[in-house]
Amino acid sequence: MVSKNNMWVINNRKIFYGISLVLIVISFVSLALWGLKPGIDFTGGTLIEIDYPAGRPDQALVTSAISSIDEAVSVRPFGANAYIVRMKPIDLKEKAVVMSALSLNTEASTTDQAVLKTFDSIGPVLGAEALRKALVSIVLVILGIVLFITFAFRKVSEPVSSWKYGLTAIIALVHDVIIPTGLFSILGHFYGYEVDTLFVTALLVILGFSVHDTIVVFDRVRENLRLSSSNKPFNEVVGQSISQTIVRSINTSMTTLIALIVLYFVGGSSTEHFSLALIVGIAAGTYSSIFIGSALLVTIEKWGRKGK
């Protein structure tokens, strides 16, 4: 006898599919309209965070001061007294000229006028190489996950074939990475958020974390299939498995999310976007492992029965 409490995820799976579908459509629409704003890691260039302890000068004044060095320079406010300056790649000799310009060439010392917080300069060749390696890394990780899950569940053939476990896991993983990617597309359009190698690192971490959670549920499904009677409906086996693992999944994710939320607020500007991507991705991964991945197995099994 299966308790109704064990079946609430399976019985309401269409609602959870709908929530995910809305988020995914918003993400794809945002990516189609605005795309992502690539950082200098991928395009090459110089990124400077400059702080003005005595008060931030007018943005037009800073832009005018440095436009003689790079006419395409981008200057945007950051924090209470800082600007983020993005411009062409420069060497160390040009860096001194840029700092002099950013100090607005006043008689006061540079330290009093402008404090350099971060400085990164990457050539276009290195940027293109970083982008190629980032895409290859993501493809290899997804391929490795499919092969691993197919191998790990090779002895499970009924009522759902082992490769369908891998397919379901990939659908859940795409769900988990497309949501933070869509969010950064929106934030990039409205607030200038850029994606860099740290963002790619965050996506790879999300893939690893999410598949871990999904496999925990799948493994419990496999175990319950082995222990249950042969005439027990598959949806009841999956519902029971989700109920047995849901508390563990939420507790594990919450401890990670607490650490990431602390990192987001106190980690500084260098890790702010990285931690935000992880927070959104891990939350999406926890949601998909509980409400999407295993529920999709039930849907696939149902379609299979109808096709016979």
Side-chain angles (χ1 to χ4, degrees):
M1 186 71 181
V2 176
S3 165
K4 288 184 178 179
N5 292 333
N6 288 344
M7 296 300 294
W8 70 275
V9 173
I10 299 301
N11 291 341
N12 295 290
R13 61 185 183 278
K14 291 182 180 177
I15 296 175
F16 301 126
Y17 292 167
I19 294 171
S20 290
L21 186 62
V22 169
L23 295 175
I24 288 172
V25 168
I26 291 173
S27 298
F28 274 120
V29 169
S30 173
L31 287 167
L33 289 176
W34 304 313
L36 291 168
K37 191 176 177 62
I40 63 168
D41 292 11
F42 299 138
T43 61
T46 300
L47 193 68
I48 300 171
E49 180 185 343
I50 193 82
D51 188 65
Y52 295 89
R56 187 162 57 199
D58 186 75
Q59 183 174 349
L61 189 62
V62 176
T63 303
S64 174
I66 204 169
S67 60
S68 60
I69 304 170
D70 182 4
E71 292 181 352
V73 65
S74 165
V75 179
R76 62 180 175 85
F78 181 77
N81 294 313
Y83 280 117
I84 296 291
V85 178
R86 180 175 175 164
M87 59 186 301
K88 67 179 184 179
I90 59 174
D91 55 26
L92 290 178
K93 186 181 293 184
E94 291 173 309
K95 177 183 175 184
V97 178
V98 169
M99 283 305 300
S100 175
L102 288 174
S103 67
L104 304 180
N105 298 313
T106 61
E107 293 181 355
S109 70
T110 300
T111 303
D112 292 336
Q113 289 298 315
V115 178
L116 180 63
K117 305 292 284 186
T118 61
F119 176 88
D120 291 303
S121 187
I122 299 175
V125 175
L126 287 177
E129 180 73 6
L131 177 60
R132 187 185 67 80
K133 289 184 175 179
L135 295 175
V136 169
S137 299
I138 292 175
V139 171
L140 288 178
V141 168
I142 292 177
L143 182 61
I145 288 172
V146 171
L147 294 176
F148 172 75
I149 292 180
T150 302
F151 175 78
F153 290 83
R154 65 191 183 283
K155 294 182 180 179
V156 180
S157 58
E158 293 294 340
V160 176
S161 302
S162 60
W163 67 270
K164 292 179 181 176
Y165 283 81
L167 175 66
T168 304
I170 291 305
I171 294 172
L173 290 179
V174 170
H175 166 280
D176 301 341
V177 297
I178 199 66
I179 290 176
T181 304
L183 175 67
F184 268 70
S185 172
I186 296 170
L187 293 175
H189 178 73
F190 289 104
Y191 301 104
Y193 277 40
E194 297 179 344
V195 295
D196 52 16
T197 50
L198 271 180
F199 179 77
V200 176
T201 304
L203 292 185
L204 294 175
V205 173
I206 291 167
L207 287 172
F209 190 92
S210 298
V211 78
H212 167 268
D213 244 9
T214 303
I215 285 179
V216 168
V217 185
F218 283 3
D219 196 51
R220 185 54 62 94
V221 171
R222 177 176 61 177
E223 186 69 14
N224 285 335
L225 280 173
R226 189 175 64 82
L227 297 175
S228 66
S229 59
S230 59
N231 59 352
K232 189 170 186 178
F234 184 65
N235 63 334
E236 291 185 5
V237 174
V238 175
Q240 180 186 7
S241 303
I242 293 173
S243 296
Q244 291 170 341
T245 55
I246 188 171
V247 174
R248 173 185 170 180
S249 294
I250 292 175
N251 287 343
T252 303
S253 298
M254 283 304 298
T255 54
T256 307
L257 287 173
I258 288 171
L260 289 172
I261 290 170
V262 172
L263 179 66
Y264 177 80
F265 284 108
V266 304
S269 60
S270 59
T271 58
E272 187 179 84
H273 295 180
F274 174 69
S275 53
L276 177 62
L278 283 176
I279 289 169
V280 176
I282 288 177
T286 304
Y287 177 84
S288 71
S289 66
I290 296 172
F291 302 109
I292 303 298
S294 301
L296 278 175
L297 288 176
V298 174
T299 300
I300 290 173
E301 187 268 344
K302 188 177 179 181
W303 288 347
R305 278 191 287 111
K306 286 183 177 177
K308 290 181 180 177

